[in-house]
Structure formats: structure tokens, C-alpha cells
């Protein structure tokens, strides 16, 4: 989803005629350079974006500044600016506005402002209800407040729109497990593993679901495989070790929002 937002600001920047084929004067190339810098050197990118805005960079410059805010960990500022952009882009397509509102939701989620994140994701879904990634984003917001059945419902819609995604199946397995439905959790984990046999998140979920269903041998095999694939010190590895020691399966940490500019996992 977020990768397509690059097309958004690129389109906005190209609304002005290119004056030359250099990053300093070609709006599209300047936007690309600014976005790359926002991810690598957000402090410098924020200064550059502000200067560009003064020179007439418009919405593209503001979008780059918002991404720089995100890179600096200033999630509220990033969300606020992205929300403003989405509201001001009345001349753009519904799909592009939805992308920006979704980015705002990701920033607010990173700031742990769940109500604001949900409002932005609701707005994005109203604008572009066929964008599977926005439904995934909203499911993560629901999961963060333990609204597991709502999360599972959104993930079901995402799978209807974009079938056979291992990441979404693993997320829904976690949602069903935490909602108390180990059978559905197991089914989703196994469906993911049919698509990618060593997908660590799905192996973890199958291991936890098997444990809930008293399949200790199968669970141990899955959890040990997770540790072998992901490493003992990874988040997945630590959770697998805890389960192997006999700790009850716990609520998984909500997956972090994708960073603006970062494509969705497929």
C-alpha cells in the first residue's frame, strides 16, 4: 500500500512543469531524492523539505516532511501533517487520498493514539474499500486493544481482496487464537504454511494453537523450528522458548505499522 503513496506525491509534484533534468529543478526527481533522504537521514530531509516548500514544493514537499517526522520518531507530528494532507487533497482521486489517510493512521498507531489511528483508517476504507492493506492496518489497531474478533473480521476482508497472503493468514491465526478459537487459528496457520512451509510467524501460531489443542509433540516441533529459523534472541524466538518452557500462550505484540515508504509484506 505505502509504496503506491510514492506515486501520489510524485503526481502532485509533477503538476508543476519540470524545468531541467536535475534533482534540484525536476519536481519528480526532487521528490524521489527527498523521500530517499527522509528514510536514511530524516534530520537533513526535514530541512530540505522545508526549504523546498518555501520554493513552491507544495504537497509533495509537505509529504516528504511528514515522512521525515516519522523517521525522527515524531509520530504525532507525522500523523497530524499526513491527516492535513489527506483532507486538503480534494482534487485527487479517492484511492490516493485513502493512501495518505492510511499513512496518517500508521503514524498515529506508532504514537499509540488508537482512536486517531482508527479514525484515519475508517476514512481510508470509506474512500478505497478494495485496498486490502488498509484493512490489515485497521486489524492491527483493533489487535492493539485486544478487539480480536474485529481484527479477524478485517483480516478476512483483506484475504477476500488479496488471497493467499501468508502474512495475513498468520495475523488472522493470532487473532483467532487470542479470541479463543484454536481450531480456526490452526486452520489459518496451516493454510499459510501450505503457501510457505517455513514462514516463522505461521509456524509459531501453529505451535501455539497445537499446544492449546494438547498436541504437545507437534507444538514442540513447530516451536523448535521457529527458533532455528528466527534465532533465539528474536521476538519470535523468545516467544517460542517461553512456550516450550510451559508458559501459557500470550497475546502477541501488535505488529508495528509499516513505516511510510515501506511496501507491505506479501
Amino acid at each position: 500500500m505505502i509504496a503506491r503513496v510514492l506515486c501520489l506525491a510524485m503526481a502532485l509534484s509533477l503538476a508543476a512543469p519540470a524545468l531541467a533534468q536535475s534533482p534540484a529543478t525536476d519536481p519528480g526527481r526532487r521528490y524521489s531524492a527527498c523521500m530517499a533522504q527522509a528514510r536514511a537521514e530524516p534530520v537533513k530531509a526535514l530541512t530540505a523539505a522545508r526549504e523546498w516548500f518555501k520554493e513552491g514544493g507544495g504537497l509533495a514537499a509537505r509529504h516528504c516532511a511528514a515522512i521525515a517526522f516519522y523517521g525522527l520518531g515524531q509520530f504525532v507530528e507525522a500523523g497530524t501533517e499526513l491527516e492535513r494532507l489527506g483532507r486538503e487533497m480534494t482534487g485527487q482521486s479517492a484511492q490516493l487520498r485513502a493512501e495518505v489517510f492510511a499513512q496518517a493512521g500508521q503514524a498515529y498507531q506508532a504514537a499509540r493514539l488508537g482512536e486517531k489511528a482508527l479514525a484515519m483508517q475508517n476514512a481510508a476504507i470509506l474512500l478505497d474499500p478494495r485496498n486490502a492493506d488498509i484493512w490489515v492496518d485497521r486489524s492491527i489497531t483493533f489487535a492493539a486493544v485486544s478487539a480480536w474478533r474485529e481484527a479477524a473480521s478485517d483480516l478476512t476482508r483483506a484475504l477476500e481482496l488479496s488471497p493467499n497472503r501468508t502474512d495475513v493468514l498468520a495475523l488472522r491465526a493470532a487473532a483467532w487464537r487470542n479470541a479463543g478459537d484454536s481450531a480456526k487459528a490452526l486452520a489459518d496457520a496451516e493454510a499459510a504454511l501450505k503457501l510457505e512451509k517455513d514462514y516463522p510467524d505461521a509456524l509459531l501460531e501453529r505451535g501455539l494453537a497445537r499446544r492449546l489443542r494438547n498436541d504437545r509433540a507437534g507444538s514442540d516441533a513447530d516451536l523448535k523450528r521457529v527458533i532455528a529459523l528466527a534465532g533465539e534472541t528474536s521476538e519470535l524466538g523468545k516467544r517460542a522458548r517461553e512456550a516450550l518452557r510451559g508458559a501459557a500462550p500470550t497475546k502477541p505484540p501488535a505488529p508495528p505499522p509499516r513505516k511510510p515508504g515501506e511496501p507491505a509484506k506479501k
Side-chain angles (χ1 to χ4, degrees), residues 40 83 86 95 163 165 186 188 214 236:
E83 181 179 354
Q95 289 76 16
R165 280 183 54 175
L186 182 60
D188 275 345
N214 298 315
L236 290 176

Side-chain angles (χ1 to χ4, degrees), residues 144-164:
V145 294
S146 299
W148 298 110
R149 292 193 177 275
E150 291 83 351
S153 178
D154 277 3
L155 292 165
T156 296
R157 181 58 179 149
L159 285 165
E160 290 169 352
L161 295 166
S162 183
N164 298 327

